[in-house]
């Protein structure tokens, strides 16, 4: 299972959190009433006892306004004969059409998101601090979203700007005479509080109303957000237990007479199959879903009627028993706008609650063979014109697809290229003297795709495409680590917080070892197989290790990497990546996908 994006854009480009955390009051005051009460109206004549409310949901868009390129833009569909077919999907032009089509004939329809709408975004959105994505979500008529870990990439003050609007404090307004309006839907962060005041950073919940029908939405991000976002992004904030927080606000909503409740949770799981149409409730051995969301779902009060989840970029529609043993729907719609979930919530007007036994849900592909939404096409064209001078600059050439995000292998071809680029750029003595480089797999956000994305020609890698692969602009660090610490870091890939869902570091050429997946925990790393340039690692010797600032801070469950000394700060990861492409490719001699033979896998 691939780890979810785990890093933020460097704070050198963003507003310092020290400028002051946004207060709840400021955020709530700027929120339009329509964000909570969209669709409020009056019924006529006799009202039936129950009404079906359509809940449309998606998660982990990550600013992918244009269809994701290469294998990262496919969803897997199981065919009747048991084979699996890859279907190209995603892009907001198609997502808008899918949602608008789905809403037809459904007078009670609400659209919700499970977090990570922004952050780790392609250049088209990331270059403009994700203003284009918020604008697109407004046009999609999104009613509510939980925050995810990536909503904190640029800190609490920038998150407040995304909610409330206003031009960027450093870069100003991007379009002459146009001020960024902010999100017209509420971002919910029930389990995020300010350290100094103890008050919620954002609204913990909102209530959607129409013709007397009321549904409460509680939004939380994963409690472990500080472990996967740089320290500057979460400075001055506390992140609380998901279950305790949701149960607390479910009680509050219940006291206010809101009996129908949906939790939006930016945490997820892994289904037994990666096909979006897999029957998650199949009774077979090994079927179903695993991961953090299972225990969370089992602990959330029965007052909550359905869970919309995210973070793991997986597709699933499962039932997990609540604390009273009753089945409850838990859904996730992959990532990048490739799927949306359509859930029917049958609302009982007398009890004001959802008839849980009637809840039905399914994931649907956002196919690219449907008409594009014209307003989204105009939005993309407008921002592309602003981005073009930077985005279209050629950086290098490739001979074939080099897969990163779209690769399911533990050692990814693009991971090897990135680690080699970091080693090469930081090996000179005056650049840090690196012996080896590590790259976190979740930081690889896309594939390098051979087919042209625009008019640049097949095989040309543009700045925009390179940025989409590494959108965080992390500064590189070179530090001293002992051989023992280096070995410990490799063991932490498959133990500690990473045991249930391993995060396999991408490694530079010269480092080799064996990963024995028949074993468990740290024992999966065969220590006497670890060699650097053919020599066994000496536990007592000091090595110079290159990595991005996120890993160097111990992020992603690698405390050993946070123990480095004699730190030298180098160029950004993107600069090193582009320099490597320029040095190792020409139009007549393009860069070929590298062999993946550094980690020997025993299954």
């Amino acid at each position: 299972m691939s780890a979810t994006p785990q890093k933020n854009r460097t704070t050198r480009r963003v507003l310092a959190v020290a400028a002051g955390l946004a207060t709840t009051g400021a955020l709530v005051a700027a929120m339009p009433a329509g964000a909570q009460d969209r669709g409020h109206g009056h019924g006529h004549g006799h009202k039936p006892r129950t009404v079906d409310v359509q809940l449309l949901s998606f998660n982990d868009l990550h600013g992918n306004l244009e269809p994701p390129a290469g294998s990262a833009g496919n969803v897997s569909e199981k065919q009747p004969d048991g084979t699996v077919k890859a279907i190209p999907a995603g892009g907001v032009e198609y997502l808008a059409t899918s949602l608008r089509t789905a809403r037809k004939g459904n007078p009670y329809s609400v659209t919700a998101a499970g977090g990570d709408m922004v952050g780790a975004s392609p250049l088209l959105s990331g270059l403009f601090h994700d203003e284009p994505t918020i604008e697109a979500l407004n046009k999609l008529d999104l009613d509510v979203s939980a925050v995810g870990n990536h909503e904190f990439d640029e800190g609490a003050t920038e998150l407040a700007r995304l909610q409330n609007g206003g031009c960027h404090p450093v870069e100003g307004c991007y379009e002459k005479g146009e001020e960024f309006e902010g999100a017209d839907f509420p971002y919910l962060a029930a389990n995020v509080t300010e350290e100094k005041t103890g008050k919620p950073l954002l609204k913990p919940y909102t209530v959607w109303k129409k013709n007397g029908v009321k549904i409460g939405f509680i939004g939380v991000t994963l409690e472990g957000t500080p472990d996967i976002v740089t320290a500057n992004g979460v400075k001055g904030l506390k992140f609380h237990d998901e279950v305790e927080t949701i149960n607390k606000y479910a009680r509050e909503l219940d006291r206010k007479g809101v009996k129908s409740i949906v939790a939006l949770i930016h945490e997820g799981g892994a289904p037994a199959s990666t096909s979006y149409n897999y029957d998650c409730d199949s009774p077979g051995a090994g079927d179903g879903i695993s991961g953090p969301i299972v225990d969370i779902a089992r602990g959330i009060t029965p007052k909550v009627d359905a869970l919309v989840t995210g973070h793991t970029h997986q597709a699933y529609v499962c039932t997990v028993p609540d604390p009273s043993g009753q089945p409850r729907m838990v859904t996730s719609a992959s990532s990048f706008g490739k799927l949306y979930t359509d859930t029917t919530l049958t609302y009982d007007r007398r009890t004001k609650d959802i008839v849980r036994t009637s809840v039905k849900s399914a994931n649907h592909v956002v196919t690219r063979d449907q008409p594009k939404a014209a307003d989204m096409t105009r939005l993309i064209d407008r921002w592309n014109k602003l981005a073009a001078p930077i985005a279209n600059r050629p950086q290098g050439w490739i001979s074939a697809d080099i897969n990163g995000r779209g690769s399911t292998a533990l050692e990814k071809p693009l991971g090897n290229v990135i680690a080699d680029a970091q080693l090469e750029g930081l090996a000179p003595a005056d650049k840090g003297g690196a012996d080896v480089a590590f790259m976190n797999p979740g930081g690889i956000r896309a594939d390098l795709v051979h087919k042209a994305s625009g008019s640049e020609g097949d095989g040309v890698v543009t700045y925009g495409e390179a940025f989409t692969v590494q959108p965080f602009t992390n500064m590189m660090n070179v530090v001293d680590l002992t051989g023992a610490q280096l070995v410990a870091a490799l063991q932490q890939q498959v133990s500690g917080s990473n045991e249930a869902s391993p995060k396999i570091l991408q490694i530079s050429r010269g480092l080799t070892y064996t990963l024995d997946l028949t074993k468990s925990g740290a024992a999966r790393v065969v220590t006497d197989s670890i060699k650097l340039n053919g020599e066994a690692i000496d536990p007592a010797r000091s090595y110079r290790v290159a990595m991005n600032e996120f890993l160097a801070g111990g992020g992603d469950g690698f405390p050993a990497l946070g123990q480095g000394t004699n730190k030298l700060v180098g160029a950004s990861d993107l600069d090193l990546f582009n320099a490597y492409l320029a040095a190792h490719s020409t139009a007549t001699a393009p860069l070929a996908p590298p062999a993946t033979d550094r980690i020997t896998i025993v299954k």
Side-chain angles (χ1 to χ4, degrees):
M1 191 187 91
S2 66
T4 297
Q6 305 311 6
K7 223 335 256 131
N8 70 345
R9 193 179 291 120
T10 178
T11 48
R12 284 156 200 76
R13 293 180 52 210
V14 307
L15 177 63
V17 181
L21 290 174
T23 64
T24 314
L27 288 162
V28 176
M31 201 168 297
Q36 305 168 65
D37 273 10
R38 186 181 283 138
H40 192 76
H42 301 282
H44 298 282
H46 175 71
K47 288 180 179 175
R49 165 83 183 257
T50 62
V51 58
D52 282 348
V53 177
Q54 178 190 56
L55 171 61
L56 301 176
S57 58
F58 57 99
N59 51 277
D60 296 276
L61 180 65
H62 291 287
N64 279 262
L65 302 181
E66 296 175 298
S71 55
N74 293 335
V75 293
S76 298
E77 181 179 75
K78 191 174 182 182
Q79 305 300 300
D81 64 0
T83 58
V84 175
K85 180 181 176 184
I87 301 176
V92 293
E93 293 160 299
Y94 304 112
L95 179 61
T97 299
S98 288
L99 294 176
R100 289 164 184 170
T101 302
R103 288 175 188 139
K104 285 176 183 167
N106 289 284
Y108 294 84
S109 184
V110 56
T111 304
D116 277 8
M117 294 295 98
V118 299
S121 306
L123 188 93
L124 174 61
S125 186
L127 188 64
F128 306 106
H129 297 276
D130 282 311
E131 289 182 22
T133 296
I134 298 295
E135 185 185 336
L137 293 171
N138 289 346
K139 288 180 186 292
L140 280 177
D141 288 331
L142 183 62
D143 288 294
V144 57
S145 180
V147 294
N149 51 290
H150 281 277
E151 265 79 17
F152 294 92
D153 279 355
E154 299 191 26
T157 312
E158 175 63 4
L159 173 55
R161 189 182 76 87
L162 291 180
Q163 177 75 83
N164 297 333
C167 295
H168 193 271
V170 176
E171 295 175 22
C173 300
Y174 295 111
E175 295 175 291
K176 195 171 181 182
E178 295 286 328
E179 181 158 319
F180 174 57
E181 293 181 357
D184 68 7
F185 55 90
Y187 258 125
L188 305 180
N191 65 330
V192 187
T193 58
E194 298 175 18
E195 271 182 355
K196 282 184 180 173
T197 65
K199 290 180 179 173
L201 175 71
L202 292 153
K203 286 176 62 126
Y205 59 79
T206 191
V207 180
W208 178 87
K209 303 171 188 173
K210 184 171 183 180
N211 296 344
V213 174
K214 291 193 287 189
I215 298 178
F217 288 87
I218 303 168
V220 298
T221 185
L222 69 155
E223 186 184 6
T225 291
D227 301 327
I228 52 177
V229 172
T230 55
N232 278 320
V234 294
K235 192 174 179 183
L237 302 177
K238 284 191 82 168
F239 292 77
H240 304 272
D241 181 86
E242 305 95 337
V243 174
E244 289 174 12
T245 303
I246 291 168
N247 290 351
K248 169 186 167 183
Y249 287 112
R251 287 192 298 271
E252 189 171 312
L253 281 165
D254 187 57
R255 284 197 302 271
K256 290 183 173 182
V258 179
K259 308 294 184 184
S260 300
I261 302 172
V262 175
L264 308 175
I265 308 171
H266 192 69
E267 179 60 289
S273 165
T274 55
S275 296
Y276 83 90
N277 56 342
Y278 161 66
D279 181 0
C280 197
D281 292 336
S282 303
D287 272 330
I289 185 173
S290 59
I293 198 61
V294 178
D295 285 342
I296 290 172
R298 285 180 176 148
I300 289 173
T301 171
K303 292 182 195 298
V304 174
D305 299 296
L307 314 182
V308 172
T309 73
H311 188 57
T312 57
H313 291 205
Q314 304 292 308
Y316 48 84
V317 172
C318 307
T319 58
V320 177
D322 69 15
S324 68
Q326 297 304 306
R328 179 169 51 195
M329 198 63 76
V330 179
T331 67
S332 174
S334 184
S335 64
F336 301 171
K338 294 181 288 189
L339 298 175
Y340 71 92
T341 312
D342 189 337
T343 303
T344 301
L345 301 172
T346 301
Y347 182 91
D348 186 322
R349 289 184 185 275
R350 196 171 300 166
T351 64
K352 300 181 182 175
D353 207 348
I354 300 300
V355 183
R356 193 93 77 72
T357 53
S358 300
V359 175
K360 297 181 185 68
S361 191
N363 275 325
H364 300 276
V365 182
V366 176
T367 59
R368 299 183 197 165
D369 57 3
Q370 60 186 319
K372 295 180 178 182
D375 58 339
M376 293 300 177
T377 303
R378 288 192 297 272
L379 181 150
I380 288 169
D381 289 348
R382 207 178 85 240
W383 288 102
N384 263 331
K385 275 183 192 150
L386 288 171
I390 295 171
N392 296 337
R393 288 202 307 257
Q395 303 298 313
W397 291 262
I398 55 174
S399 64
D401 288 0
I402 305 180
N403 286 344
R405 189 81 197 169
S407 169
T408 55
L410 298 178
E411 181 185 348
K412 305 173 192 304
L414 190 51
N416 287 359
V417 172
I418 291 169
D420 287 351
Q422 294 176 354
L423 177 62
E424 183 169 298
L426 300 171
D430 62 334
K431 304 290 187 194
D435 299 307
V436 64
F438 290 138
M439 174 63 191
N440 55 311
I444 305 169
R445 305 303 304 172
D447 303 333
L448 277 186
V449 178
H450 184 262
K451 184 175 170 55
S453 59
S455 59
E456 76 275 12
D458 290 351
V460 178
V461 180
T462 64
Y463 183 88
E465 290 164 341
F467 181 98
T468 298
V469 168
Q470 294 211 94
F472 301 111
T473 326
N474 275 313
M475 303 313 289
M476 292 299 300
N477 290 183
V478 188
V479 299
D480 285 346
L481 287 174
T482 65
Q485 289 168 327
L486 202 150
V487 170
L490 293 176
Q491 290 173 328
Q492 284 161 4
Q493 300 176 112
V494 289
S495 64
S497 62
N498 292 330
E499 180 158 6
S501 178
K503 291 193 178 82
I504 305 304
L505 295 165
Q506 307 299 288
I507 55 178
S508 55
R509 67 164 61 92
L511 184 63
T512 55
Y513 70 95
T514 297
L515 196 60
D516 186 347
L517 298 180
T518 65
K519 298 197 167 125
S520 61
R524 289 170 173 168
V525 175
V526 182
T527 49
D528 59 9
S529 72
I530 306 171
K531 293 184 177 171
L532 185 58
N533 301 320
E535 292 183 7
I537 296 290
D538 178 351
R541 190 192 138 186
S542 180
Y543 296 86
R544 293 290 283 166
V545 182
M547 57 195 139
N548 60 47
E549 59 189 339
F550 172 60
L551 279 178
D556 258 0
F558 290 98
L561 296 181
Q563 295 168 355
T565 57
N566 297 324
K567 178 170 79 173
L568 181 141
V569 178
S572 76
D573 51 6
L574 181 60
D575 286 345
L576 292 182
F577 185 47
N578 283 330
Y580 187 85
L581 290 171
H584 291 271
S585 68
T586 63
T588 53
L591 181 70
T596 49
D597 54 4
R598 300 170 190 184
I599 307 172
T600 302
I601 311 284
V602 178
K603 290 185 178 176

